[in-house]
Amino acid sequence: AQSVTQLDSQVPVFEEAPVELRCNYSSSVSVYLFWYVQYPNQGLQLLLKYLSGSTLVKGINGFEAEFNKSQTSFHLRKPSVHISDTAEYFCAVIRRQAGTALIFGKGTTLSVSS
Amino acid sequence: GAVVSQHPSWVICKSGTSVKIECRSLDFQATTMFWYRQFPKQSLMLMATSNEGSKATYEQGVEKDKFLINHASLTLSTLTVTSAHPEDSSFYICSARGIQETQYFGPGTRLLVL
């Protein structure tokens, strides 16, 4: 079975500071990895995904993530955050097999203040 | 591309009534859709997997007679909460699976049962 651990439940940062949201996963089979963002009272928006190829994945809103197979990690980074980045961020994994469901981490609340 | 809509976005109903929530993939066909429930400050909980033309697969602990799912076409899945009670009040989110196992989420439906 797969599982996802988001190591920080809350990450407070100041505007224009860099941020890293950590995500580790466990799986005995190959997986795809995703990061989603959720703004208050909204659904989830796909930030980026790792399917194969380059381990550094760039997404929307200036975010990027690096897949590290040896450490089973998929940390999300942004070099300079904005107030508007304040939201809930979810890391998710899915088996490379049609029909299976996403497994979500518990989420990380990113709070950006001025 | 890859837009998923949900209707209604908000619904308030009396205890004992039934509520239907629609999930539509607007610009792609989705043979598989998923229904999630989210409690405040928590991650998404998968309720069921909806496959076009066949019965939904429910997660353990989810009452199939309580949460009726119909996936009648490649762009529409519906969730009906039957005989709703206050404990069914929650945020319900659907997703539709696109290519390469990527799921695209709807904006969510907030249900309040009085």
Side-chain angles (χ1 to χ4, degrees):
Chain A
Q2 294 74 46
S3 68
V4 178
T5 302
Q6 291 184 241
L7 298 159
D8 308 293
S9 59
Q10 297 192 15
V11 174
V13 293
F14 287 108
E15 194 173 19
E16 298 183 6
V19 71
E20 178 180 80
L21 306 184
R22 297 181 293 169
C23 172
N24 285 91
Y25 70 95
S26 67
S27 176
S28 58
V29 298
S30 295
V31 296
Y32 295 135
L33 295 152
F34 303 83
W35 274 99
Y36 287 89
V37 60
Q38 185 180 31
Y39 299 101
N41 298 310
Q42 295 186 29
L44 275 66
Q45 181 181 6
L46 179 66
L47 270 179
L48 48 77
K49 60 185 177 183
Y50 173 78
L51 304 178
S52 65
S54 172
T55 56
L56 182 63
V57 181
K58 293 190 182 297
I60 62 171
N61 302 341
F63 284 93
E64 63 180 32
E66 185 156 20
F67 169 60
N68 188 318
K69 188 174 182 179
S70 62
Q71 297 186 6
T72 61
S73 68
F74 190 53
H75 300 333
L76 182 70
R77 302 185 182 98
K78 185 169 183 178
S80 176
V81 295
H82 302 292
I83 298 284
S84 59
D85 292 323
T86 295
E88 191 78 14
Y89 291 79
F90 293 98
C91 181
V93 62
I94 193 169
R95 284 187 300 170
R96 294 188 181 200
Q97 176 182 330
T100 56
L102 278 170
I103 307 298
F104 283 94
K106 292 188 175 183
T108 297
T109 302
L110 175 64
S111 299
V112 183
S113 56
S114 57
Chain B
V3 178
V4 176
S5 70
Q6 270 184 253
H7 179 79
S9 55
W10 269 96
V11 58
I12 302 173
C13 67
K14 293 182 179 179
S15 185
T17 61
S18 294
V19 175
K20 180 185 283 189
I21 303 170
E22 292 186 348
C23 177
R24 293 181 184 273
S25 56
L26 298 184
D27 50 3
F28 67 105
Q29 293 182 330
T31 55
T32 303
M33 292 184 175
F34 301 89
W35 286 96
Y36 296 84
R37 185 173 179 176
Q38 187 179 32
F39 293 101
K41 304 293 185 183
Q42 294 189 26
S43 188
L44 280 73
M45 181 190 77
L46 179 66
M47 299 175 65
T49 301
S50 170
N51 294 297
E52 187 266 339
S54 63
K55 290 183 178 181
T57 304
Y58 291 82
E59 295 299 301
Q60 192 173 7
V62 178
E63 300 176 58
K64 57 183 67 178
D65 294 331
K66 173 77 171 176
F67 298 100
L68 299 179
I69 291 172
N70 186 312
H71 194 154
S73 78
L74 289 172
T75 59
L76 174 64
S77 176
T78 60
L79 168 68
T80 301
V81 184
T82 62
S83 186
H85 288 96
E87 58 266 29
D88 298 324
S89 298
S90 193
F91 192 51
Y92 293 88
I93 306 176
C94 72
S95 70
R97 192 180 73 207
I99 61 172
Q100 294 179 316
E101 299 299 322
T102 302
Q103 287 187 32
Y104 299 93
F105 286 80
T109 296
R110 189 161 300 282
L111 171 63
L112 177 61
V113 184
L114 302 175

